Amino acid sequence: MNIHSNQKTLSALGNSGSKREQIIDATIRLISEYGFHGTPVSMIAQEAGVGAGTIYRYFKDKDSLVLEIFAQVNRDFQSTMLDQYDARQPIRDRFFHLCRGIFQYGIENPHKFKFMEQFYNSPYGTTLRREKLFCNCDDSSQELSLEQLFSKGQAQQLIKDIPLATLIAHSVGPIVFLVKDSIAGLIHLDESTIDSSLTACWDAIRVRSQQSDILEP
Amino acid sequence: MNIHSNQKTLSALGNSGSKREQIIDATIRLISEYGFHGTPVSMIAQEAGVGAGTIYRYFKDKDSLVLEIFAQVNRDFQSTMLDQYDARQPIRDRFFHLCRGIFQYGIENPHKFKFMEQFYNSPYGTTLRREKLFCNCDDSSQELSLEQLFSKGQAQQLIKDIPLATLIAHSVGPIVFLVKDSIAGLIHLDESTIDSSLTACWDAIRVRSQQSDILEP
DNA sequence: TTGGTTGGAATGAATATTCATTCCAGGTTT
DNA sequence: AAACCTGGAATGAATATTCATTCCAACCAA
């Protein structure tokens, strides 16, 4: 359409980002809905308002398009989670902060969220997880944040002494589940629902003590 | 290969089930790994040791093949969950029974489990969930079982008074998460890990009382 | 033989990718 | 300034590949 007109200023420098962004956005939207194999490149081109060939000026092929987007979205997600994260806060508060971050990101970026889900439920995802586990090259990933948190919590006898994977599953699993339902329009995630879920997450992994909450540094 | 040889006995009666089964099994295996659009019919035929055309003798098209399999696997799953289910047991015990059933089914039928996951994360799945929610035609579904359980538990003040969807998310979500990791070979789900997860599920949704467990009918 | 079943080549539609061409902002020449 | 180049970006028709489905010759049981 009239894309050209209002970008004369940008085009001087590396305006090349514009089309690229359009393509990326369209891909996220479509793949989040129809999945990788369910969205032809032609459809991406149309949704992006771009010629089919243009896509190949910015990305080697469909595969690397998706791979690049995933890396980008993943960074985006992690930085949301770690935004305003203060490692000096009590364990419980930090746990709430990180988990609330998942809710927030999913609600604010439904397409990106579903895109990541699609990705994880594909042949790509499996290999990626494997790599993540076996070589911890990624420094400040979400899982690592939770991992450190859990170790410390266990040392302080605040968090159950059960396998790390179980702790992660009971933190991330329910939230992903709820966000998916929310995106599907099956439920509405208001503040109180989110709070009750976060409390449930915490109750699942915390050590059962009689007095509970109040006595934490 | 030599599939023909050892099936002469069956072919006397309604052997038509045999090829059908081979096709179904192959489809489950492949789709669980590569997804619907990622597995061509030709690949299914090869994996099943069957001509491509044969598939169309048993199923109208690829769509109805998948739809039929889903219905079948779903029934299978539900009957596993409800096997030996005794509605007269205490709430807590019934909850453990149902949740343990999810673990069991996933561990014993990894391909079927991943197949269902693929299905739910596809355009099919979304519509299906909707129907399930809005018209409760399905009588003894897993969700309904949990639903009834939760209502009763809430009435008895055993289970938190939070939205049903949240309760379900905190029961099913972590288990699905762990089973997926287990199938991917990232963790091993031994009995003690499963137990700790089930306890965590229960802790997430139960009302926090001082004495806790022991005082239940 | 006859009726039905099977395998897999054949078909056409859909798809990813390529490439010859067009377009245009910015620079150069007059 | 006006007319004219120029190189890179954009395009979409053309090509190559993959896929679901169809079709039929060979096969098998009765």
Side-chain angles (χ1 to χ4, degrees):
Chain A
M1 317 278 169
N2 48 4
I3 297 165
H4 284 228
S5 47
N6 53 0
Q7 278 170 3
K8 283 170 188 168
T9 49
L10 292 172
S11 58
L13 60 152
N15 176 25
S16 56
S18 172
K19 295 254 152 160
R20 200 166 190 279
E21 279 309 309
Q22 291 169 237
I23 293 167
I24 287 177
D25 288 351
T27 306
I28 291 173
R29 249 172 292 139
L30 292 173
I31 286 194
S32 75
E33 186 144 10
Y34 305 115
F36 176 76
H37 292 287
T39 69
V41 174
S42 57
M43 204 191 288
I44 295 174
Q46 183 172 12
E47 173 92 0
V50 143
T54 307
I55 291 173
Y56 291 85
R57 291 205 59 75
Y58 294 98
F59 303 94
K60 183 176 155 289
D61 52 20
K62 198 183 171 189
D63 257 52
S64 55
L65 165 64
V66 171
L67 256 6
E68 270 193 55
I69 292 179
F70 174 77
Q72 178 180 313
V73 171
N74 212 30
R75 272 195 306 276
D76 190 29
F77 172 60
Q78 285 174 196
S79 77
T80 295
M81 294 234 339
L82 293 176
D83 182 45
Q84 295 191 30
Y85 180 76
D86 182 357
R88 290 161 311 180
Q89 292 288 303
I91 300 271
R92 183 180 182 280
D93 292 357
R94 282 193 275 162
F95 178 76
F96 269 67
H97 180 96
L98 291 176
C99 289
R100 198 183 293 276
I102 306 176
F103 270 119
Q104 188 191 332
Y105 190 83
I107 291 170
E108 289 177 2
N109 310 281
H111 290 301
K112 291 183 182 175
F113 190 88
K114 280 191 76 180
F115 178 88
M116 289 183 78
E117 277 298 305
Q118 291 277 5
F119 192 88
Y120 277 124
N121 289 322
S122 75
Y124 294 121
T126 319
T127 29
L128 210 105
R129 273 194 181 178
R130 283 243 169 74
E131 287 168 17
K132 212 173 191 175
L133 248 216
F134 292 141
C135 71
N136 281 349
C137 19
D138 221 5
D139 43 13
S140 66
S141 85
Q142 159 225 346
E143 292 210 4
L144 283 190
S145 296
L146 278 176
E147 205 171 319
Q148 291 171 319
L149 200 59
F150 289 149
S151 297
K152 277 194 188 169
Q154 287 175 327
Q156 296 180 225
Q157 311 249 19
L158 280 174
I159 288 179
K160 289 177 182 172
D161 191 21
I162 58 180
L164 175 66
T166 308
L167 294 173
I168 292 178
H170 283 267
S171 313
V172 180
I175 300 178
V176 169
F177 200 99
L178 283 172
V179 169
K180 271 170 156 178
D181 275 1
S182 163
I183 292 173
L186 302 177
I187 59 170
H188 173 66
L189 286 179
D190 53 16
E191 275 308 314
S192 87
T193 303
I194 292 174
D195 284 344
S196 64
S197 174
L198 292 174
T199 302
C201 285
W202 179 246
D203 285 342
I205 65 166
R206 71 188 273 194
V207 163
R208 321 193 96 289
S209 64
Q210 300 82 320
Q211 281 87 349
S212 68
D213 299 36
I214 13 177
L215 42 77
E216 208 172 298
Chain B
M1 316 284 167
N2 47 4
I3 296 164
H4 285 231
S5 47
N6 53 359
Q7 279 170 4
K8 283 171 188 165
T9 48
L10 291 172
S11 58
L13 60 154
N15 177 25
S16 57
S18 173
K19 295 248 157 167
R20 200 166 191 278
E21 280 309 310
Q22 292 169 235
I23 293 166
I24 289 178
D25 288 352
T27 306
I28 290 174
R29 249 173 292 140
L30 291 173
I31 287 193
S32 74
E33 186 145 12
Y34 304 115
F36 176 77
H37 291 286
T39 69
V41 174
S42 58
M43 203 192 290
I44 295 175
Q46 183 171 12
E47 174 92 0
V50 143
T54 306
I55 290 173
Y56 290 85
R57 295 207 61 73
Y58 294 98
F59 302 95
K60 184 174 155 289
D61 52 20
K62 196 184 173 188
D63 256 52
S64 56
L65 166 64
V66 171
L67 256 5
E68 270 191 56
I69 291 179
F70 174 76
Q72 177 181 313
V73 171
N74 212 29
R75 271 195 307 276
D76 190 30
F77 173 61
Q78 285 175 194
S79 78
T80 295
M81 294 236 336
L82 293 176
D83 182 46
Q84 297 190 28
Y85 181 75
D86 182 357
R88 291 160 309 181
Q89 291 289 304
I91 299 271
R92 184 181 181 282
D93 293 357
R94 281 192 276 162
F95 178 77
F96 269 67
H97 180 96
L98 291 176
C99 288
R100 198 183 293 275
I102 305 177
F103 270 120
Q104 189 191 332
Y105 191 82
I107 291 170
E108 289 177 0
N109 310 279
H111 291 301
K112 291 184 182 177
F113 190 88
K114 279 191 77 180
F115 178 88
M116 289 183 78
E117 277 299 303
Q118 291 278 5
F119 193 88
Y120 277 124
N121 288 323
S122 75
Y124 294 121
T126 319
T127 29
L128 210 103
R129 272 193 180 177
R130 285 244 169 74
E131 287 169 16
K132 211 172 191 176
L133 248 217
F134 292 140
C135 70
N136 283 348
C137 17
D138 221 3
D139 43 12
S140 66
S141 86
Q142 160 223 350
E143 292 211 2
L144 284 190
S145 296
L146 278 176
E147 207 172 319
Q148 291 172 319
L149 201 59
F150 289 148
S151 297
K152 277 195 187 167
Q154 286 176 326
Q156 296 180 226
Q157 311 250 19
L158 282 175
I159 288 178
K160 289 177 181 172
D161 191 21
I162 58 182
L164 174 65
T166 308
L167 295 173
I168 292 177
H170 283 267
S171 314
V172 180
I175 300 179
V176 169
F177 200 99
L178 283 173
V179 170
K180 272 170 156 178
D181 275 1
S182 163
I183 293 174
L186 302 177
I187 58 169
H188 172 67
L189 287 179
D190 54 17
E191 276 307 315
S192 87
T193 303
I194 293 174
D195 284 344
S196 64
S197 174
L198 291 174
T199 302
C201 285
W202 179 246
D203 285 342
I205 66 166
R206 72 189 273 197
V207 164
R208 319 194 96 289
S209 63
Q210 300 82 319
Q211 280 86 351
S212 67
D213 299 37
I214 12 176
L215 42 77
E216 207 173 297

